[in-house]
Amino acid sequence: MKKILTISLLQILAGIVSAQQANQISGQVLDALTREPVLAATISTVVNEKKAGTMTDTLGYFSLVLPTAKVTLTAACIGYRTWTNQVSANEKDLLILLEPADNLLSGVVVTGTMKEVMKEVSPIPVEVYTPRFFQKSASPSFFEAVGMVNGVRPQLNCNVCNTGDIHINGMEGPYTMITIDGMPIVSGLATVYGLSGIPNGIVERIEVVKGPASTLYGSEAVGGLINIITKSPLTAPRFFVDGFGTSIGETNVDVAFSRARKRVSTLVGANYFRFNELLDINHDNFTDIPQQDRVSVFNKWSFTGSRERASSVALRYVYENRWGGQLNWAPQWRGTDSVYGESVYTNRFELLGRQHLPVGHPITLDYSYNIHDQNSVYGTTVLLANQQVGFGQLTTRLAPGKNQDLLMGAALRYTRYDDNTPATASPDASGNLPSHVWLPGVFVQDEIALNARSILLAGLRYDYNSVHGSIFTPRLSYKHSFSAQNILRLTTGSGYRVANVFTEDHAALTGAREVVTAENLLPERSWNANVNYVCKFYPRRAGFIALDASLFYTYFTNQILPDYNTDPRKIIYKNLDGHAVSSGATVNLDFNFLNGLKIIAGATAMDVYRIENAERLPQLFAPPFSGTWTVTYPIPAWGLTIDYTGNWNGPMHLPILPNDPRPEQSPWFAIHNVQITRVFKKNLEVYVGIKNLLGFYPREEVILRAFDPFNKNVGVDNPYGHTFDPAYNYAPIQRQRALVGVRWKI
């Protein structure tokens, strides 16, 4: 009898387990607009007053045992419309698309106005990009990744050591300000040498403002601003690793982990990149890609208490050893005229933090400090440079009226720079006189809600540069919402920049040209106008379409430009006797189809030139037409996502010498990339891809007279007196390369 009861009980239990397994459902929850995973969405159902539920993980996946074979399932998350539908237990790959609520629309931005607001509410047009966007085409550095953004172009400035800068709307790299958590710590030397060491695992999102932002951020934000916002230790994954290798020998690993406690939380991120192969596909006896060995470590701490006393502090250290040159170069040839090589040792330390002061009225102190030490050799030219930048800023907000938000701030920036070039030499050349520049400033910004649909923002900044004196930079913006789907923004403002030639322009040191500063360089000034229109469509049975279009115009005076053409042996720097213009149009289209297909495409048409001595001269490295695209198609049944990304560029003017055999303009060209990602066990991803699918690379003689890098034989069979010149560059010299990577998150 006991045996019969035992068997019966086991059969009942087996039936219950079998029923539960049969009624188990699984799937993924995505944002209907961005197709990004929705974290911590609640998945629930109610049957006979009994509720069953679960939450999505960091990749939006969930699994739930249903009380019956068919139920009404609900998916809900703050900021999204609730999704409700009838489902059956036999659905194992249910895809739920949550639409953002009408009052929230898109993500949070802080860059435009120094406060957290929804992107659709901000009177300043800000573009927001998440790590998921850049993961669609895996890259080893922030510098390479931003090439996926329309109107933003990473420009290599040297074919030997591959240092570069970031152009926005055709403007040279020094016009682009790079900040981390709003702190202007990537400047001067770092605009050329410090963009490669930012670990991808610590990035929460990247915000891009095109056009002057000097009213809030001061000098250097003339052409635009890129703000890298790091993850909060409170919300970052407990553990994250992303590593890949390529068929040409590149190895890149990003690791991050976080720990949260009641009052103290920390986030640690590290990046390691290594490449040590000798490649020379154009057979000029020079490396096509410099060898690199780079380590970057980041640590951020958050201290929670009362809201007024919350604080954070972060540290970052970057070390890089890179060299490029003749294939037989070795460290013993460093600085000699036997074998040509460009060898760069970089050591960089950064501190940045935020403190809400314990006073009656909310006041925030932001601060940063960085040291950049550079030991570089370009053939026989040696650059030993050290730059230190300290920054502090106090901000507070007031509400003088019911519909007003007043931001006031005071900032102080100190820059010390010393090197072994004429930039810091004493008048009698007997020693060095390090540069010390103090830059105190105050700013005010008033945001007024004129009515339910219109916002007016007015700002003014005053800076006093210890070298150049007083500088004013105003800004005025107006936003009008015709509806939740149609928004118009008008923005105008002024910017300024104080140039440091030797810290910002790598061409001043590479090759064999002599650098000449023709005069005392005055600060550059710019005036900008921008019209931005955003329109969103919800076609029936089609999904979602968004259009973001802008017209821009920037007028420059006192522009500081390098003159490569007057004398082939010199680079002459002087203030422009005339004016320069950057104008054009840009459009971004975002298509989201119900079958999961997502297309992001952008195009920019621009005209960048200067007027000097009544002559119109084009800007170098500024293609009149360019574009980017990202096509994503998920196959949920197989756990696959296919990403096809790329960019195209029209002919751009390049630096050439008189009677140069190289073309004056680059050809039309496009770079195509394909990547396939497979998800295993929800938090584990494996991806494979091909970069530069069609194998484009410059076929021209990009390094002029590569056989004579020290110009020892200029007078031999050289009727035009050409010299060694590696500054002619418009695309990386790389063919197709395969990559394989793994990404794991807890």
Side-chain angles (χ1 to χ4, degrees), residues 255-269:
V255 178
F257 66 87
S258 65
R259 290 293 181 269
R261 295 294 183 263
K262 186 175 181 180
R263 292 187 176 275
V264 180
S265 302
T266 187
L267 169 67
V268 178

PDB file of all heavy atoms in Angstrom, residues 255-269:
ATOM      1  N   VAL A 255      37.277  45.455 -19.291  1.00  0.00           N
ATOM      2  CA  VAL A 255      36.742  44.799 -18.105  1.00  0.00           C
ATOM      3  C   VAL A 255      36.218  45.873 -17.161  1.00  0.00           C
ATOM      4  O   VAL A 255      36.849  46.918 -16.987  1.00  0.00           O
ATOM      5  CB  VAL A 255      37.810  43.945 -17.389  1.00  0.00           C
ATOM      6  CG1 VAL A 255      37.233  43.302 -16.133  1.00  0.00           C
ATOM      7  CG2 VAL A 255      38.354  42.866 -18.312  1.00  0.00           C
ATOM      8  N   ALA A 256      35.064  45.611 -16.544  1.00  0.00           N
ATOM      9  CA  ALA A 256      34.514  46.539 -15.554  1.00  0.00           C
ATOM     10  C   ALA A 256      33.759  45.748 -14.504  1.00  0.00           C
ATOM     11  O   ALA A 256      33.126  44.732 -14.810  1.00  0.00           O
ATOM     12  CB  ALA A 256      33.591  47.564 -16.211  1.00  0.00           C
ATOM     13  N   PHE A 257      33.839  46.188 -13.263  1.00  0.00           N
ATOM     14  CA  PHE A 257      33.019  45.583 -12.214  1.00  0.00           C
ATOM     15  C   PHE A 257      32.628  46.658 -11.216  1.00  0.00           C
ATOM     16  O   PHE A 257      33.314  47.680 -11.067  1.00  0.00           O
ATOM     17  CB  PHE A 257      33.748  44.421 -11.516  1.00  0.00           C
ATOM     18  CG  PHE A 257      34.969  44.819 -10.728  1.00  0.00           C
ATOM     19  CD1 PHE A 257      34.871  45.225  -9.411  1.00  0.00           C
ATOM     20  CD2 PHE A 257      36.226  44.769 -11.318  1.00  0.00           C
ATOM     21  CE1 PHE A 257      35.998  45.576  -8.685  1.00  0.00           C
ATOM     22  CE2 PHE A 257      37.359  45.127 -10.607  1.00  0.00           C
ATOM     23  CZ  PHE A 257      37.242  45.530  -9.276  1.00  0.00           C
ATOM     24  N   SER A 258      31.513  46.456 -10.563  1.00  0.00           N
ATOM     25  CA  SER A 258      31.007  47.443  -9.611  1.00  0.00           C
ATOM     26  C   SER A 258      30.575  46.751  -8.328  1.00  0.00           C
ATOM     27  O   SER A 258      30.224  45.563  -8.326  1.00  0.00           O
ATOM     28  CB  SER A 258      29.826  48.213 -10.208  1.00  0.00           C
ATOM     29  OG  SER A 258      28.728  47.346 -10.431  1.00  0.00           O
ATOM     30  N   ARG A 259      30.596  47.511  -7.258  1.00  0.00           N
ATOM     31  CA  ARG A 259      30.115  47.039  -5.964  1.00  0.00           C
ATOM     32  C   ARG A 259      29.319  48.169  -5.318  1.00  0.00           C
ATOM     33  O   ARG A 259      29.777  49.313  -5.289  1.00  0.00           O
ATOM     34  CB  ARG A 259      31.274  46.635  -5.049  1.00  0.00           C
ATOM     35  CG  ARG A 259      32.003  45.367  -5.491  1.00  0.00           C
ATOM     36  CD  ARG A 259      31.107  44.141  -5.368  1.00  0.00           C
ATOM     37  NE  ARG A 259      31.805  42.931  -5.772  1.00  0.00           N
ATOM     38  CZ  ARG A 259      31.808  42.430  -6.997  1.00  0.00           C
ATOM     39  NH1 ARG A 259      31.154  43.081  -7.962  1.00  0.00           N
ATOM     40  NH2 ARG A 259      32.458  41.328  -7.285  1.00  0.00           N
ATOM     41  N   ALA A 260      28.126  47.851  -4.863  1.00  0.00           N
ATOM     42  CA  ALA A 260      27.248  48.854  -4.252  1.00  0.00           C
ATOM     43  C   ALA A 260      27.003  48.498  -2.797  1.00  0.00           C
ATOM     44  O   ALA A 260      26.644  47.355  -2.475  1.00  0.00           O
ATOM     45  CB  ALA A 260      25.931  48.941  -5.011  1.00  0.00           C
ATOM     46  N   ARG A 261      27.203  49.448  -1.925  1.00  0.00           N
ATOM     47  CA  ARG A 261      26.903  49.302  -0.500  1.00  0.00           C
ATOM     48  C   ARG A 261      25.908  50.390  -0.107  1.00  0.00           C
ATOM     49  O   ARG A 261      25.472  51.178  -0.928  1.00  0.00           O
ATOM     50  CB  ARG A 261      28.186  49.407   0.328  1.00  0.00           C
ATOM     51  CG  ARG A 261      29.176  48.267   0.066  1.00  0.00           C
ATOM     52  CD  ARG A 261      28.625  46.938   0.532  1.00  0.00           C
ATOM     53  NE  ARG A 261      29.587  45.859   0.342  1.00  0.00           N
ATOM     54  CZ  ARG A 261      29.602  45.044  -0.687  1.00  0.00           C
ATOM     55  NH1 ARG A 261      28.702  45.212  -1.665  1.00  0.00           N
ATOM     56  NH2 ARG A 261      30.493  44.087  -0.790  1.00  0.00           N
ATOM     57  N   LYS A 262      25.578  50.427   1.146  1.00  0.00           N
ATOM     58  CA  LYS A 262      24.533  51.343   1.587  1.00  0.00           C
ATOM     59  C   LYS A 262      24.899  52.788   1.326  1.00  0.00           C
ATOM     60  O   LYS A 262      24.077  53.582   0.867  1.00  0.00           O
ATOM     61  CB  LYS A 262      24.245  51.134   3.075  1.00  0.00           C
ATOM     62  CG  LYS A 262      23.065  51.945   3.578  1.00  0.00           C
ATOM     63  CD  LYS A 262      22.755  51.608   5.034  1.00  0.00           C
ATOM     64  CE  LYS A 262      21.545  52.409   5.522  1.00  0.00           C
ATOM     65  NZ  LYS A 262      21.212  52.108   6.938  1.00  0.00           N
ATOM     66  N   ARG A 263      26.142  53.173   1.583  1.00  0.00           N
ATOM     67  CA  ARG A 263      26.540  54.572   1.425  1.00  0.00           C
ATOM     68  C   ARG A 263      27.693  54.778   0.447  1.00  0.00           C
ATOM     69  O   ARG A 263      27.944  55.901   0.025  1.00  0.00           O
ATOM     70  CB  ARG A 263      26.934  55.167   2.788  1.00  0.00           C
ATOM     71  CG  ARG A 263      25.754  55.298   3.743  1.00  0.00           C
ATOM     72  CD  ARG A 263      26.156  56.037   5.010  1.00  0.00           C
ATOM     73  NE  ARG A 263      25.013  56.243   5.892  1.00  0.00           N
ATOM     74  CZ  ARG A 263      24.169  57.244   5.812  1.00  0.00           C
ATOM     75  NH1 ARG A 263      24.347  58.154   4.867  1.00  0.00           N
ATOM     76  NH2 ARG A 263      23.163  57.369   6.642  1.00  0.00           N
ATOM     77  N   VAL A 264      28.401  53.702   0.105  1.00  0.00           N
ATOM     78  CA  VAL A 264      29.560  53.832  -0.772  1.00  0.00           C
ATOM     79  C   VAL A 264      29.460  52.803  -1.888  1.00  0.00           C
ATOM     80  O   VAL A 264      29.189  51.631  -1.632  1.00  0.00           O
ATOM     81  CB  VAL A 264      30.880  53.633   0.004  1.00  0.00           C
ATOM     82  CG1 VAL A 264      32.065  53.785  -0.951  1.00  0.00           C
ATOM     83  CG2 VAL A 264      30.983  54.614   1.145  1.00  0.00           C
ATOM     84  N   SER A 265      29.663  53.247  -3.119  1.00  0.00           N
ATOM     85  CA  SER A 265      29.656  52.348  -4.266  1.00  0.00           C
ATOM     86  C   SER A 265      30.870  52.666  -5.131  1.00  0.00           C
ATOM     87  O   SER A 265      31.360  53.800  -5.151  1.00  0.00           O
ATOM     88  CB  SER A 265      28.378  52.525  -5.094  1.00  0.00           C
ATOM     89  OG  SER A 265      27.233  52.291  -4.303  1.00  0.00           O
ATOM     90  N   THR A 266      31.352  51.654  -5.856  1.00  0.00           N
ATOM     91  CA  THR A 266      32.534  51.861  -6.682  1.00  0.00           C
ATOM     92  C   THR A 266      32.396  51.144  -8.014  1.00  0.00           C
ATOM     93  O   THR A 266      31.715  50.117  -8.124  1.00  0.00           O
ATOM     94  CB  THR A 266      33.809  51.376  -5.959  1.00  0.00           C
ATOM     95  OG1 THR A 266      34.956  51.739  -6.737  1.00  0.00           O
ATOM     96  CG2 THR A 266      33.792  49.860  -5.776  1.00  0.00           C
ATOM     97  N   LEU A 267      33.020  51.723  -9.023  1.00  0.00           N
ATOM     98  CA  LEU A 267      33.082  51.144 -10.363  1.00  0.00           C
ATOM     99  C   LEU A 267      34.538  51.162 -10.807  1.00  0.00           C
ATOM    100  O   LEU A 267      35.201  52.195 -10.739  1.00  0.00           O
ATOM    101  CB  LEU A 267      32.230  51.951 -11.345  1.00  0.00           C
ATOM    102  CG  LEU A 267      32.402  51.639 -12.841  1.00  0.00           C
ATOM    103  CD1 LEU A 267      31.892  50.242 -13.156  1.00  0.00           C
ATOM    104  CD2 LEU A 267      31.674  52.677 -13.699  1.00  0.00           C
ATOM    105  N   VAL A 268      35.030  50.017 -11.247  1.00  0.00           N
ATOM    106  CA  VAL A 268      36.400  49.895 -11.735  1.00  0.00           C
ATOM    107  C   VAL A 268      36.354  49.410 -13.175  1.00  0.00           C
ATOM    108  O   VAL A 268      35.659  48.430 -13.485  1.00  0.00           O
ATOM    109  CB  VAL A 268      37.236  48.920 -10.884  1.00  0.00           C
ATOM    110  CG1 VAL A 268      38.645  48.788 -11.461  1.00  0.00           C
ATOM    111  CG2 VAL A 268      37.299  49.393  -9.443  1.00  0.00           C
ATOM    112  N   GLY A 269      37.044  50.092 -14.051  1.00  0.00           N
ATOM    113  CA  GLY A 269      37.112  49.696 -15.455  1.00  0.00           C
ATOM    114  C   GLY A 269      38.542  49.721 -15.947  1.00  0.00           C
ATOM    115  O   GLY A 269      39.354  50.540 -15.501  1.00  0.00           O
TER     116      GLY A 269
END
